[in-house]
Amino acid sequence: MTDDINFITKTKQLIDGLKSVCANYGLGNDGNEFKIITQVFLYKFLNDKFRYAVKLEKPSLVNDEKNFSQALKDLPEGEYQFLLASLDPNIPRLQPEHLMSHLHGAQNSGDFAKLFDDTLRQISIENADVFSVKSSTGAKDILFDELSNFISDSSQRDAFCKALINKLFEFSFEEMFKQKYDFFATIFEYLIKDYNTDSGGKYAEYYTPHAVARIMAKIMVPNPVKGVKCYDPSAGSGTLLMSLAHEIGEENCTIYSEDISQKSSNMLRLNLVLNNLTHSIPNIIKTNTIAQPSYLDSKFDYIVSNPPFKLDFSDFHGDLGKDIFKQRFFAGIPKIKAKDKDKMEIYLLFIQHIMHTLSENGKAAIVVPTGFITAQKGIEKKIRERLITNGWLRGVVSMPSNIFASTGTNVSVLFLDKKTDNQHIVLMDASKLGDTIKEGKNQRTVLSTAEEDKIISTFNQKEAIEDLSVVVSKEEIEAKNYSFSAGQYFEVKIEYIEITAEEFGNKMQTFENNLAGLFAEGNTLDQKIQKQLKGLLYE
């Protein structure tokens, strides 16, 4: 545990050091700082991952950083190519001149910024098949930008790139790979905490709390599974997918995702690399999932989603009525709001999309505004009716208020399962759990580990607990007008206390005396008010 904390601290210091370099060259809080920090961090991680993998294959190579690239250069060409071919497909393929040790030793050469950019560009080209994010058209992005160009003053570019390399060179991930520490979720959250906010305009990302992600994953995967396809149609930076993959086992699943944001797609790529899911990077698609889905005809075993709740989609609203989409949006398409376009309920389209892409044995967990589970008409009710009619609803957990610091909307999680027992549907009201903490300008509710475990075990064991959960049948939900709210099924209890006739008489006499006193006081006040009114004069 001490080593674990030590490595986390050192990694955070590296991130802070890179941010300090950006600040020293006028890029602190600049729009391009995000690209610089995340991309050089990724380069460092890939560099160390490659070094570690090569040393496992060829232990005779020197261990010191400075001479490692030279040792690779000294290998016969055929032997080096054989070495690359023997590496796991998820390991980047680097040439000796791509290594950080080579760049570190070449700092005195002229035009270092160009050497730096050329190196990253070459790594991008040679590893595009595994590490590139695709768009819906099939076009691949580049793994690295020409980072030196973000410095407007060309005379400072060499110094800037040298400062980055020197910060990276002081640190190594290799000890982490040896110990197999599982703390990269913590590192990733720290790395992007300044860049993954809800201030990004139309397609803002909302970071899903780890507690919610863990609860969703552990409820979805109560038993071991293998060889499954996992999908998120609004993936963001991938918090939900990472929790799901950890629960299933990275080697037992393949990740698929769609998101309209280029920034989110790049964050997700980094998250996959850090979490040993590099093999799934080719399945990341940057696209508009609703209007231009890449996986429309695909079916997935596990689907997780925290979709945007309300968004202006009027610019492609008309296209959604085409025949190609009609089967998918069976319950309808939210109308364009003339005055509040940004409040169009796009999450209803995501729910229908998820239902459409579930495999024959598929399971899903979807974050929705709590108002969805009780709406008495419209698309919301049609979706709930279909879930009950099909027998797909496994249960619902209504979360505490402010579980998301970035939004005050109360949220619930729908759990779908095409093979569920529809006579034992779990409805849970966890709104009273958690403690409220201050987080910046916002308040957020934090669940303890014990509370998380209680939610998970109660749901998976189908327990009915007073004021927390009920277990109901499909028919009972139909009788309640398809309400998914646990509170509407809680038993109303009336407590009875036995008293004697004498005690009853005494209580009634006390009530009469109190009422007589109140009536008398009221009469006195009436008289005073009337007297005051008569004394009013017009002047």
Side-chain angles (χ1 to χ4, degrees), residues 110-162:
D111 207 354
F112 182 76
K114 184 177 185 303
L115 175 63
F116 180 81
D117 287 338
D118 288 347
T119 299
L120 296 187
R121 184 189 308 109
Q122 196 61 37
I123 293 173
S124 294
I125 293 170
E126 296 187 12
N127 292 275
D129 288 344
V130 175
F131 289 93
S132 285
V133 172
K134 292 184 293 187
S135 69
S136 57
T137 62
K140 294 183 178 180
D141 75 340
I142 54 173
L143 187 57
F144 300 111
D145 293 292
E146 294 188 354
L147 299 181
S148 72
N149 287 338
F150 292 130
I151 300 292
S152 56
D153 183 350
S154 59
S155 66
Q156 291 189 317
R157 290 174 182 169
D158 283 355
F160 172 68
C161 293
K162 290 177 184 179

Side-chain angles (χ1 to χ4, degrees), residues 172-400:
S172 176
F173 283 108
E174 289 189 59
E175 286 300 317
M176 299 185 190
F177 301 143
K178 291 177 184 177
Q179 301 297 330
K180 296 184 179 179
Y181 288 117
D182 184 21
F183 52 69
F184 284 108
T186 303
I187 291 173
F188 179 76
E189 186 171 4
Y190 187 80
L191 177 64
I192 68 169
K193 67 183 177 69
D194 295 329
Y195 313 119
N196 198 36
T197 68
D198 60 354
S199 59
K202 183 173 181 180
Y203 295 104
E205 297 99 344
Y206 294 93
Y207 196 86
T208 308
H210 285 299
V212 176
R214 283 191 295 267
I215 289 169
M216 291 168 68
K218 289 182 179 295
I219 287 177
M220 290 182 77
V221 193
N223 301 306
V225 293
K226 289 185 177 180
V228 294
K229 296 167 66 177
C230 303
Y231 172 60
D232 188 337
S234 54
S237 53
T239 305
L240 292 177
L241 283 171
M242 295 308 102
S243 287
L244 181 61
H246 288 323
E247 197 62 31
I248 293 172
E250 292 82 357
E251 71 283 1
N252 294 326
C253 64
T254 305
I255 299 295
Y256 297 81
S257 76
E258 293 176 282
D259 199 288
I260 198 168
S261 166
Q262 179 68 56
K263 184 174 80 169
S264 290
S265 298
N266 287 336
M267 285 181 178
L268 177 55
R269 169 172 54 195
L270 177 56
N271 217 353
L272 290 172
V273 171
L274 294 180
N275 286 279
N276 201 31
L277 287 159
T278 302
H279 61 277
S280 290
I281 290 177
N283 304 326
I284 303 174
I285 307 295
K286 187 193 80 66
T287 189
N288 182 329
T289 307
I290 300 302
Q292 297 174 312
S294 290
Y295 295 123
L296 180 62
D297 297 321
S298 301
K299 301 298 178 183
F300 299 98
D301 305 302
Y302 289 84
I303 302 178
V304 287
S305 181
N306 175 20
F309 290 169
K310 295 184 179 181
L311 199 68
D312 177 6
F313 60 93
S314 58
D315 52 347
F316 58 86
H317 185 278
D319 295 335
L320 302 181
K322 294 178 180 178
D323 289 341
I324 189 175
F325 295 134
K326 283 184 177 178
Q327 183 181 0
R328 184 168 54 144
F329 301 129
F330 65 90
I333 301 165
K335 295 178 181 178
I336 297 175
K337 296 181 184 289
K339 294 183 178 180
D340 295 308
K341 289 184 179 180
D342 59 334
K343 294 182 180 179
M344 295 167 64
E345 298 89 350
I346 195 169
Y347 81 96
L348 296 172
L349 299 178
F350 277 97
I351 297 175
Q352 295 176 80
H353 173 80
I354 289 167
M355 293 170 67
H356 179 76
T357 49
L358 272 176
S359 69
E360 185 178 345
N361 299 313
K363 299 173 176 61
I366 315 163
V367 180
V368 299
T370 294
F372 167 83
I373 67 177
T374 55
Q376 292 299 297
K377 59 183 180 179
I379 298 172
E380 295 93 333
K381 189 178 178 186
K382 289 180 181 178
I383 293 174
R384 297 203 313 272
E385 287 178 354
R386 178 67 66 89
L387 291 174
I388 295 301
T389 301
N390 288 354
W392 292 1
L393 182 67
R394 184 179 168 205
V396 177
V397 177
S398 294
M399 292 291 178

